[in-house]
Amino acid sequence: MKKVIVISTSLRQGSNSDMLADKFAEGAKAAGHEVEKISLAGKNIQFCKGCLACQKLDRCVIDDDVNDMMAKVLKADVVAWATPIYYYEMSGQMKTLIDRMNAMYPLDYQFRDIYLLTTAAEDEESTPKRAESGLTGWIDCYPKSRLAGTLFCGGVNGSRDIDGNPKLQEAFELGSKI
């Protein structure tokens, strides 16, 4: 059994990427893993100040919701990120959270497999590539980890457009195979 953290970065609960996150989590649970989904909706996440105090304190000096999320990510075996694609890139709130996780850099971490689930109005195969590149920049800082899988669902824009889309089943199957 693995400990799985699914981070849904959309600020709209029930959004297309949030629905992919839910299906991935369902698949992982069905496979017998311990799963926790963290939604950034309603979370207080401030911008990194670049002070680097976190490198000495092993936590961020900003008192918001990030330190609790980092503690969970550090202890997870698997981390799945779900994001809508805005202007061919990950959501700003995902990038802000990644920047704030700088405190994890010198710490011992358990995660090995990282997944990226993306949705966008655009449906070209290249649409999620910049988001993947941005996430692999974070992954590269944790050399025992790897990008284990990605899933992209294009052509979905409005809330719940993904409902009934076969990519939801693919997300379930991806989660069940971790």
Side-chain angles (χ1 to χ4, degrees):
M1 180 176 78
K2 294 180 180 179
K3 184 169 183 153
V4 180
I5 296 290
V6 179
I7 303 171
S8 178
T9 70
S10 178
L11 298 182
R12 292 185 310 169
Q13 291 196 1
S15 70
N16 296 308
S17 62
D18 192 50
M19 291 174 71
L20 272 184
D22 286 341
K23 285 297 182 184
F24 182 92
E26 285 177 30
K29 283 180 189 174
H33 301 295
E34 178 185 337
V35 180
E36 180 178 354
K37 180 183 166 197
I38 299 171
S39 173
L40 298 191
K43 294 282 193 267
N44 178 15
I45 302 172
Q46 298 177 35
F47 292 110
C48 178
K49 297 177 186 214
C51 67
L52 297 178
C54 62
Q55 300 294 299
K56 296 177 184 141
L57 301 172
D58 296 338
R59 65 174 178 76
C60 184
V61 297
I62 299 171
D63 187 23
D64 62 6
D65 294 324
V66 174
N67 283 319
D68 290 339
M69 287 186 272
M70 279 191 296
K72 292 176 181 183
V73 169
L74 282 168
K75 294 176 184 170
D77 300 299
V78 175
V79 180
W81 294 85
T83 185
I85 299 293
Y86 299 139
Y87 297 101
Y88 298 92
E89 184 54 272
M90 71 179 73
S91 67
Q93 51 274 18
M94 179 172 164
K95 177 63 171 129
T96 298
L97 180 58
I98 285 173
D99 289 349
R100 287 289 306 290
M101 289 184 162
N102 194 40
M104 294 183 354
Y105 181 71
L107 302 178
D108 188 29
Y109 58 96
Q110 190 165 324
F111 57 87
R112 298 297 182 261
D113 292 339
I114 311 296
Y115 291 84
L116 179 62
L117 314 169
T118 56
T119 60
E122 297 79 16
D123 61 359
E124 296 85 17
E125 185 178 320
S126 62
T127 300
K129 295 304 177 196
R130 291 181 192 153
E132 290 174 25
S133 178
L135 183 60
T136 56
W138 179 74
I139 294 169
D140 288 346
C141 294
Y142 301 95
K144 294 184 278 185
S145 68
R146 68 186 179 107
L147 183 61
T150 64
L151 179 64
F152 169 62
C153 182
V156 293
N157 190 27
S159 186
R160 305 187 77 74
D161 276 355
I162 199 170
D163 213 7
N165 191 300
K167 293 290 184 173
L168 290 172
Q169 181 61 30
E170 287 182 41
F172 179 90
E173 291 168 9
L174 188 62
S176 70
K177 293 176 183 172
I178 58 173

